[in-house]
Amino acid sequence: MTDGIVQLVPLTIVASMFALFIFSGLRKRTRQSSEYGFNGSYTGRVGIGAGIASNWMSAGSFLGLAGVFYVKGYFGMAYVVGWTGGYVLLLVLMATQIRRFGKFTAPDFVGFRYESDTARTLAALISIIITIIYCVAQFRGIALLVSWLFGIAYLPAVIVGASLAVSFVVVSGMLGVVRNQKLQYFVLIITFILPLMLLTRKLGYFWILPQFGYGAAIGELQQQFGFNCSEPFANTSLFEWFALCFTLMFGTAGLPHVLSRFYVVPGMRDARWGVVWGLFFIALIYWSAPAYGVLTRLFEARNGMRLYAGGADAADMVVLTAASLGGLPTWAIGLLAAGGMSAAFSTAAGLLMTGSASFSYDIYPRLINPKATERDKSYAAKGFFLLLAAVVMVLTLQPWGMIAEIAALAFAVAGNTIFPAFLLGIWWPRANAAGAICGMLTGLVISFAPFIAGDSLPLVSQLFPLTSSAFIGAPLVMIVMIVTSLLTTPPSAAIRLFVSRDVHDCHEE
Amino acid sequence: MKETSPHNNLSFFRPRGKTMRGEVRVIKLILLGWLAAIVGFQLFAYFLEASYSIILLENLTFFNLPLQFWLTGQFLPLWFIILCVLFNIWMDRHAKQSTEGSLRFRIKPVSGEDE
């Protein structure tokens, strides 16, 4: 995608969109920021839903998903189902109960429920690992867009993109910008759907609902070019599909920054209905994302280009490729770039801030400097923020897959560690600290087993694929947790009473 | 340490108390609907592909989209939304009942509202 040309029109659109976000954030000034950076004001359930959706929409959803459809066809559906179905798990198994614990972050919850500082520190470390991995996906998205916008190569683009992201956080922090999440979601959905409508209209498909219109492209690919988009399991096994799908669902229910959203909402009932709206807003994007992948295939086939010639970098940019091959005006491509940028920037900013807050709050005063003052903690947070950004940047230089695959690893880690700890913590009062610690450690080992032992033991990478290890991993971790808990002393009567009486509303019969 | 009654052996599979029993029953139903749809559609597509050749899959379209694309990509997210709505409706009603129940000794419930 790098032709050495600076894309002036798209660049202007991207810049003005960020100016709009900063300006609207300044104007509102409803400062409700918490220590963890989850701020914003809410008006009603639709607003909560838009907040959930804009918090969720990352480079993975905006750019990565279409890329997976482009490369793997139907297999990408595992991402769509995984990233939406997880909300059902979250809503029915965890949302209500987590609120009754009244703990704001994953480490807080684990520390309180399992009455152990070790478990708490472990949960904080895991949250930071998840943050780093998830952030690599965002930085990769930013770097690819920067590389296209400025016409520079990928490696310098990573550095430019990372500096832009860091300065965005610093500037908006200094100006006291409040994220206007409703506006942001609105911009995201327009920038994603409008170009798609223009594309399908240009192709003569049913453009009012491009989510269905792209079906004609699947047919044409099949009949004229022999590319079987619609053969679901031609290249992948049923196991791979389910493993990925369930990993993403477990991960969704265990991602720290998703879980924390339930606390910033005033009432439980509003929080629950907010999830429904959030899921609907998320689905609007996911209903449409496959179209970009399929359309790019079609354009390439029509132009006689070799499929998948550009490798992973090009695959992650198919959203933009579809628009440019389809002959859309430059401003429409600029809209897509702006949407992708905003999704990646806001997710990266939120994650980096959460990660550094988690360090300064959970790890620094407990492990490094027990006599830390508030001032020390604030310095620690700032320092760790820069360190985190630097680590993420270095990892982004040589990433281990496409955007969606990088994000999937973060989901696998969350599904293998935080998800079992929360699930058993909520639903089984007998689970204790030893069980939680063993379980989370096992989960970490399982998540990274393909990295460590994948080459020497092929079975490991078959059972626990890098992107999909939680399908078998999460149940395994739960078994470890149950066995360890039963072999060690039960947790204190107070916490068991709290779980059964206050969380599950279970009184003596 | 007092080993008092129901709190020690409560779990998802052994719910205690009226509130929790009802809640767990609904959660089980929702999760059943969730699992059945996810697994069912994939198995359906898998066996369709395995046994009836590709032609059937090509011709089975719903509103332009191949059937399994529609079922998995469009209908499943919609189904998840429906499940969440059903769960919320149940929980809302349930929450109303339980607050009424706990307030009963102080305030008389509004007549006409059922238990």
Side-chain angles (χ1 to χ4, degrees):
Chain A
M1 293 287 291
T2 50
D3 347 339
I5 312 161
V6 180
Q7 309 278 344
L8 276 178
V9 179
L11 203 57
T12 320
I13 294 178
V14 173
S16 45
M17 192 200 56
F18 275 95
L20 170 74
F21 284 151
I22 290 182
F23 180 68
S24 77
L26 276 181
R27 227 165 41 113
K28 290 193 75 174
R29 280 274 179 188
T30 42
R31 301 200 75 170
Q32 211 188 51
S33 48
S34 73
E35 209 175 336
Y36 274 81
F38 302 110
N39 43 21
S41 59
Y42 296 98
T43 44
R45 294 165 177 178
V46 182
I48 298 168
I52 289 177
S54 80
N55 189 50
W56 172 258
M57 284 305 151
S58 66
S61 311
F62 206 94
L63 303 170
L65 197 54
V68 175
F69 273 96
Y70 167 76
V71 178
K72 297 187 170 166
Y74 182 84
F75 188 66
M77 285 298 175
Y79 284 93
V80 172
V81 177
W83 281 339
T84 47
Y87 276 89
V88 179
L89 275 184
L90 193 59
L91 177 71
V92 303
L93 282 175
M94 290 154 97
T96 325
Q97 289 80 10
I98 283 178
R99 266 183 78 94
R100 295 192 189 136
F101 274 94
K103 295 289 158 220
F104 281 80
T105 63
D108 262 347
F109 173 89
V110 170
F112 171 78
R113 167 62 185 83
Y114 294 106
E115 302 169 300
S116 152
D117 267 354
T118 320
R120 181 202 178 93
T121 311
L122 190 58
L125 281 173
I126 289 170
S127 305
I128 291 173
I129 293 175
I130 294 170
T131 299
I132 291 175
I133 299 172
Y134 207 55
C135 244
V136 170
Q138 312 311 320
F139 272 38
R140 179 173 158 78
I142 294 173
L144 286 169
L145 287 171
V146 164
S147 144
W148 177 75
L149 282 172
F150 292 98
I152 50 179
Y154 179 72
L155 292 190
V158 171
I159 297 165
V160 173
S163 334
L164 282 176
V166 169
S167 25
F168 173 70
V169 174
V170 173
V171 167
S172 48
M174 283 191 318
L175 296 175
V177 174
V178 177
R179 260 178 78 188
N180 186 343
Q181 290 177 308
K182 268 181 291 178
L183 173 75
Q184 202 192 350
Y185 178 77
F186 188 69
V187 168
L188 276 182
I189 193 80
I190 297 282
T191 53
F192 201 70
I193 307 277
L194 186 70
L196 188 61
M197 286 173 122
L198 291 175
L199 262 182
T200 37
R201 194 187 157 129
K202 209 159 179 170
L203 283 165
Y205 296 155
F206 180 61
W207 63 274
I208 299 171
L209 279 176
Q211 292 86 346
F212 288 101
Y214 80 94
I218 297 179
E220 191 180 332
L221 270 171
Q222 189 116 26
Q223 281 147 19
Q224 298 186 15
F225 304 102
F227 174 69
N228 291 324
C229 254
S230 60
E231 253 185 286
F233 297 103
N235 307 311
T236 47
S237 69
L238 211 53
F239 172 77
E240 285 173 74
W241 199 98
F242 280 129
L244 179 60
C245 178
F246 280 93
T247 296
L248 298 175
M249 293 201 264
F250 296 156
T252 304
L255 268 191
H257 76 281
V258 176
L259 288 171
S260 301
R261 291 235 53 102
F262 291 108
Y263 302 108
V264 288
V265 179
M268 187 58 234
R269 200 178 275 207
D270 290 336
R272 270 194 277 107
W273 283 104
V275 173
V276 175
W277 280 107
L279 189 53
F280 171 70
F281 289 141
I282 290 167
L284 274 183
I285 296 247
Y286 288 175
W287 279 324
S288 329
Y292 280 105
V294 172
L295 289 182
T296 311
R297 279 267 169 181
L298 180 69
F299 291 134
E300 290 194 352
R302 276 188 181 175
N303 295 353
M305 292 155 78
R306 203 157 57 83
L307 293 174
Y308 195 42
D313 284 3
D316 274 334
M317 292 289 277
V318 289
V319 174
L320 269 69
T321 316
S324 64
L325 286 179
L328 286 195
T330 331
W331 61 263
I333 309 174
L335 274 187
L336 281 167
M341 271 296 203
S342 118
F345 258 69
S346 60
T347 313
L351 284 169
L352 287 175
M353 266 148 62
T354 320
S356 51
S358 169
F359 173 80
S360 73
Y361 182 69
D362 293 314
I363 294 177
Y364 178 70
R366 279 159 217 272
L367 290 185
I368 300 169
N369 182 3
K371 280 176 280 188
T373 59
E374 284 305 310
R375 220 176 125 82
D376 290 343
K377 280 195 218 167
S378 129
Y379 279 125
K382 282 171 191 153
F384 194 71
F385 169 78
L386 291 177
L387 179 71
L388 213 55
V391 170
V392 172
M393 191 187 82
V394 170
L395 285 173
T396 314
L397 292 173
Q398 201 62 261
W400 53 89
M402 289 165 53
I403 293 175
E405 291 169 342
I406 300 170
L409 177 62
F411 281 79
V413 177
N416 277 330
T417 53
I418 311 261
F419 174 65
F422 267 74
L423 195 66
L424 288 185
I426 289 169
W427 288 103
W428 193 46
R430 179 68 176 76
N432 64 11
I437 293 167
C438 283
M440 287 194 283
L441 286 175
T442 316
L444 275 183
V445 172
I446 289 176
S447 314
F448 294 103
F451 267 134
I452 306 160
D455 295 330
S456 47
L457 294 166
L459 185 69
V460 169
S461 36
Q462 267 169 29
L463 283 182
F464 307 109
L466 197 53
T467 52
S468 335
S469 55
F471 179 47
I472 297 184
L476 210 62
V477 168
M478 280 184 222
I479 293 171
V480 170
M481 277 184 73
I482 292 171
V483 171
T484 323
S485 296
L486 286 176
L487 290 178
T488 45
T489 47
S492 75
I495 196 74
R496 279 188 288 167
L497 195 67
F498 177 83
V499 172
S500 53
R501 203 179 54 195
D502 296 334
V503 175
H504 293 297
D505 205 11
C506 155
H507 299 276
E508 230 89 18
E509 289 179 29
Chain B
M1 197 192 284
K2 272 201 292 179
E3 290 289 317
T4 44
S5 57
H7 303 305
N8 297 312
N9 44 12
L10 153 160
S11 78
F12 183 74
F13 298 102
R14 259 182 300 176
R16 299 289 157 127
K18 193 173 157 234
T19 322
M20 192 182 172
R21 276 210 195 104
E23 217 173 279
V24 166
R25 201 179 55 229
V26 168
I27 292 174
K28 277 181 184 160
L29 283 176
I30 298 277
L31 287 182
L32 194 72
W34 167 85
L35 193 70
I38 296 169
V39 176
F41 286 167
Q42 296 324 303
L43 289 181
F44 171 70
Y46 185 77
F47 287 119
L48 211 62
E49 186 189 346
S51 49
Y52 285 101
S53 81
I54 309 142
I55 296 146
L56 195 60
L57 275 180
E58 275 175 35
N59 297 342
L60 269 180
T61 55
F62 177 86
F63 214 54
N64 273 339
L65 275 182
L67 186 68
Q68 78 283 8
F69 260 72
W70 186 80
L71 283 178
T72 311
Q74 318 285 58
F75 180 73
L76 267 185
L78 186 67
W79 176 238
F80 296 146
I81 295 172
I82 294 171
L83 286 177
C84 287
V85 167
L86 290 177
F87 178 77
N88 278 347
I89 290 173
W90 191 89
M91 285 294 277
D92 279 357
R93 256 159 88 191
H94 177 86
K96 204 160 71 187
Q97 277 176 16
S98 76
T99 36
E100 268 169 27
S102 61
L103 291 176
R104 185 157 301 145
F105 58 92
R106 276 179 283 160
I107 310 161
K108 257 188 116 178
V110 186
S111 58
E113 294 219 6
D114 50 7
E115 170 72 14

